[in-house]
Amino acid sequence: MKIAFGSDHVGYEMKCEIMAYLTEKGIECKDFGPYTTDRVDYPDYALAVANAVNQEAFEKGILICGTGVGISIAANKVNGIRAVVCSEPYSAQLSRQHNNTNVLAFGARVVGIELAKMIVDCWLAGQYEGDRHQIRVNKIAEIEKRQDVVEGVCS
């Protein structure tokens, strides 16, 4: 398995720790930056990781910023990316099983390193179940293709 990594300056140190943790487990990791704690803009790194996953150069991506929210929003702007921000393992696992997420995000200011490792382990262990869930994943893909405004159920 090959995993693309990206962060902002806040998530830099946690990114390095998670990459080392996974490398010890025999998982190939590539860092798409940043490479220091100097202030950067997280959308740049979200885009790099999302593109690498979307182009199938990497099976999955992991993104880390202060909360995980902004970097996951940015990644989700790339067609074919289903990024999830998680602060606990259960949602991470279910996101893989039900939503076939391909990018995981979390916040270095929200979770500690040991919880982050648990989240990553559960996310990586989750196997997509397909079946009834595929119908929903297909509908998400259809939304991505639309250029018009999608009207919601409540409108």
Side-chain angles (χ1 to χ4, degrees), residues 117-137:
K117 290 176 185 176
M118 290 171 55
I119 292 167
V120 168
D121 286 342
C122 286
W123 186 68
L124 292 176
Q127 296 295 314
Y128 181 53
E129 294 174 355
D131 196 33
R132 72 183 191 278
H133 305 294
Q134 188 60 48
I135 295 166
R136 297 166 190 143
V137 171

Side-chain angles (χ1 to χ4, degrees), residues 12-73:
Y12 170 77
E13 290 178 7
M14 184 174 278
K15 176 186 67 177
C16 293
E17 289 186 58
I18 296 295
M19 287 179 62
Y21 172 71
L22 292 178
T23 300
E24 286 179 13
K25 292 181 160 216
I27 296 173
E28 185 178 339
C29 301
K30 179 172 182 190
D31 189 350
F32 282 80
Y35 307 108
T36 71
T37 56
D38 294 343
R39 187 173 304 274
V40 297
D41 296 325
Y42 60 78
D44 300 333
Y45 303 97
L47 180 61
V49 168
N51 280 336
V53 172
N54 195 42
Q55 295 166 1
E56 299 181 356
F58 294 82
E59 289 89 343
K60 294 178 177 54
I62 296 178
L63 297 168
I64 307 167
C65 68
T67 63
V69 174
I71 207 163
S72 67
I73 290 171

